[in-house]
Structure formats: C-alpha cells, structure tokens
C-alpha cells in the first residue's frame, strides 16, 4: 500500500493564540488519522503550544527552517538540537521562499540536511523550478541540480524517513497548481534520481510529495497519481476545515 503524508506549512502566520485555536480544531478533526501521516509546521513561537495540544494525537510536529550549527553566536537562528528539545520531528529545508528571500543556496540546504539527520530530525526537502526555468524548458535540469546538491554526502541507509516535496515556485500561493500529470512526471523523475543515488531499498523510507496551491478540490487528482505520496500544503493549511478535508481525501 502507498504510504501517504499531508504536511501543513503555516509560514509566518498565526499568533500563539491563533495557533492554539487552529491546532485544537485539527486535533478534533484529524487527530486520530494514522494514514496519511499528518504533520503541522507552525512558526517557532508556537512550537511548544502546538506540541502540548497534539501530544495525545497522531499529528506530528515539524518546523519551517533551522540552522546547521548546534549552538553559538548566530543571532536569530534555531538549531536542530533546539527543535528536538521541543518535540519536533520534521523540518522543512530549502523551501523556495527561503531560497528566494533569504539566500538559501543548495550548499546551505545540504549542510542543514546533514545537521537535521545527525540529530534525528526528518527533513522535508523542497525543490522546484521557477516560471522562468519552466519557460526555458529547463525544469528537470534545475530540479536535478537541486536534488543532487542537496543529498550530496548523505547516508540515507542510516535514517528511517526522508521527505522530498516537489514545489514548482510558480505554483506556490498562486492558486495555479501544476497539473497532476506534470507533478507525477517530475516526482517520478525525482524518484529515479534518488534511486540512482541511494539504490531501490531507500525508497521504502522516502515520501515524495507535491506542493503548490493544493486545495480540498484538487488533492484527489494528485494523490491518485502512482508516485505522489501526499502534499505539502501552505495556504489551505491555515484553515482547519480545509486542511482536514485534504487529509480526508488523501486516505487510500
Ligand atoms: C508551500 O508554501 O509550501 C505551499 C505549497 O504553499 P501553497 O499551498 O499556499 O501554494
């Protein structure tokens, strides 16, 4: 059976009070769901609040970013050790907003992945081309470069789980998702890159997600594709009803 995951990226949204409200709703709506695996990634300021509310449910806690050093004079940064200490299990790395606004290069993504994995966090690695890349017909070259540089030197035989989200930049927050067929085409390409790098066996540990304007009315098309194992959801994860509906429609 295909293993599935739905992860919500709240981005820079929700005060602590609002995060508590949203999480409490989610626990009521999807707290018992085991398949798909449900992950929420609140802002750092609400990680403890969210952790306390989801602790007796099946919902898992994720973060939206981290720095690769363990501690030290890095004002404003958060380490994998710190994330672990608040019960975090997943961490989004290389989101296009971090790449675009905060200068996150493939080399930095690689360092973050290594640090996350060293400390037992499961990375949700984001890759995807821009509209310009797509117009130039180089989407696969871009994604290949991002994947290969990100996983350089990693030992996936040592981890239990690893997540890659294909998120075309032009589809994020635009209401203009990729077609399910295009998502499947790129995700099966990513799968082949990972098989080349790590062998067939590691695929049991990997979730391959699609992200970009996923909503309750389009999730079914994505998850019915043979290689797509769920979604990374931005905007629609801010509404408990919408997110719960996406989770429900991803049950296989
Ligand atoms: C995201 O930020 O990862 C994302 C996919 O956003 P949205 O669902 O809003 O397009």
């Amino acid at each position: 059976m295909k293993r599935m995951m739905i992860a919500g990226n709240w981005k820079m949204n929700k005060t602590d009070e609002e995060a508590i409200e949203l999480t409490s709703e989610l626990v009521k709506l999807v707290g018992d769901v085991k398949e798909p695996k449900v992950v929420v990634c609140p802002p750092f300021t609400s990680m403890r609040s969210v952790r306390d509310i989801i602790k007796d449910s099946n919902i898992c806690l994720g973060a939206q970013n981290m720095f690769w050093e363990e501690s030290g004079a890095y004002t404003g940064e958060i380490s994998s050790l710190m994330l672990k200490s608040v019960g975090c299990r997943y961490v989004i790395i290389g989101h296009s907003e971090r790449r675009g606004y905060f200068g996150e290069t493939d080399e930095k993504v690689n360092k973050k992945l290594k640090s996350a994995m060293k400390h037992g966090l499961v990375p949700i690695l984001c890759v995807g081309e821009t509209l310009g890349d797509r117009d130039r017909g180089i989407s696969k070259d871009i994604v290949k470069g991002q994947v290969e540089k990100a996983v350089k030197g990693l030992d996936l035989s040592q981890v239990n789980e690893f997540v890659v989200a294909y998120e075309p930049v032009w589809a994020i927050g635009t209401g203009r998702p990729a077609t399910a067929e295009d998502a499947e085409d790129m995700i099966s390409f990513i799968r082949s890159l990972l098989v080349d790098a790590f062998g067939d066996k590691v695929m049991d540990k990997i979730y391959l997600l699609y992200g970009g304007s996923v909503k309750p009315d389009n999730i079914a098309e994505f998850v019915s594709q043979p290689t797509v194992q769920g979604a990374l959801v931005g905007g629609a994860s801010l509404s408990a009803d919408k997110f719960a509906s996406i989770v429900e429609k991803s049950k296989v």
Side-chain angles (χ1 to χ4, degrees):
M1 199 176 74
K2 195 163 75 153
R3 295 173 320 139
M4 304 283 284
M5 175 182 290
I6 298 295
N9 172 15
W10 298 2
K11 311 193 188 194
M12 196 177 74
N13 292 295
K14 304 291 176 190
T15 61
D16 195 38
E17 202 178 324
E18 290 165 346
I20 289 169
E21 199 180 317
L22 173 58
T23 312
S24 307
E25 283 299 307
L26 286 176
V27 168
K28 281 189 230 150
L29 294 169
V30 296
D32 290 340
V33 177
K34 287 194 178 141
E35 190 62 49
K37 188 172 278 197
V38 178
V39 181
V40 291
C41 303
F44 294 131
T45 44
S46 291
M47 301 219 52
R48 276 189 71 142
S49 307
V50 171
R51 175 198 67 181
D52 291 346
I53 300 167
I54 62 176
K55 71 177 188 313
D56 297 321
S57 79
N58 291 320
I59 301 175
C60 303
L61 185 61
Q64 300 174 19
N65 182 34
M66 52 162 278
F67 189 52
W68 57 81
E69 295 291 349
E70 290 179 4
S71 61
Y74 303 102
T75 303
E77 294 294 333
I78 302 279
S79 74
S80 31
L81 279 179
M82 292 169 169
L83 293 179
K84 284 291 279 184
S85 76
V86 290
C88 181
R89 175 161 171 71
Y90 294 87
V91 58
I92 297 172
I93 294 178
H95 191 281
S96 65
E97 286 152 16
R98 300 240 31 112
R99 292 179 192 258
Y101 299 135
F102 304 104
E104 193 143 312
T105 60
D106 291 321
E107 290 66 32
K108 290 178 183 173
V109 167
N110 178 257
K111 284 185 179 182
K112 291 184 178 193
L113 287 174
K114 285 179 176 156
S115 170
M117 288 163 64
K118 180 174 170 202
H119 295 289
L121 290 169
V122 179
I124 302 177
L125 165 66
C126 297
V127 296
E129 81 284 1
T130 63
L131 193 56
D133 299 329
R134 192 166 90 125
D135 290 345
R136 292 194 348 257
I138 56 167
S139 302
K140 282 194 174 156
D141 301 315
I142 295 296
V143 169
K144 182 174 193 282
Q146 289 174 339
V147 171
E148 288 180 347
K149 287 180 196 153
V151 303
K152 198 168 166 205
L154 300 189
D155 181 2
L156 291 197
S157 68
Q158 300 305 312
V159 300
N160 294 324
E161 244 181 316
F162 190 86
V163 187
V164 182
Y166 167 55
E167 299 209 306
V169 180
W170 48 269
I172 296 180
T174 59
R176 210 183 121 207
T179 63
E181 294 71 26
D182 285 351
E184 170 65 20
D185 182 49
M186 186 63 91
I187 288 172
S188 46
F189 175 64
I190 293 170
R191 187 183 194 286
S192 70
L193 295 173
L194 295 170
V195 169
D196 286 349
F198 302 108
D200 243 335
K201 266 198 183 148
V202 298
M203 293 318 297
D204 298 346
K205 306 172 177 189
I206 292 177
Y207 286 88
L208 298 172
L209 311 183
Y210 166 74
S213 297
V214 168
K215 302 277 180 298
D217 63 3
N218 61 25
I219 182 66
E221 297 161 40
F222 291 107
V223 295
S224 63
Q225 299 297 316
T227 319
V228 180
Q229 291 171 279
L232 179 55
V233 183
S237 71
L238 299 174
S239 148
D241 287 340
K242 285 186 188 160
F243 191 66
S245 169
I246 290 170
V247 169
E248 286 301 320
K249 290 178 177 173
S250 304
K251 287 182 175 168
V252 280

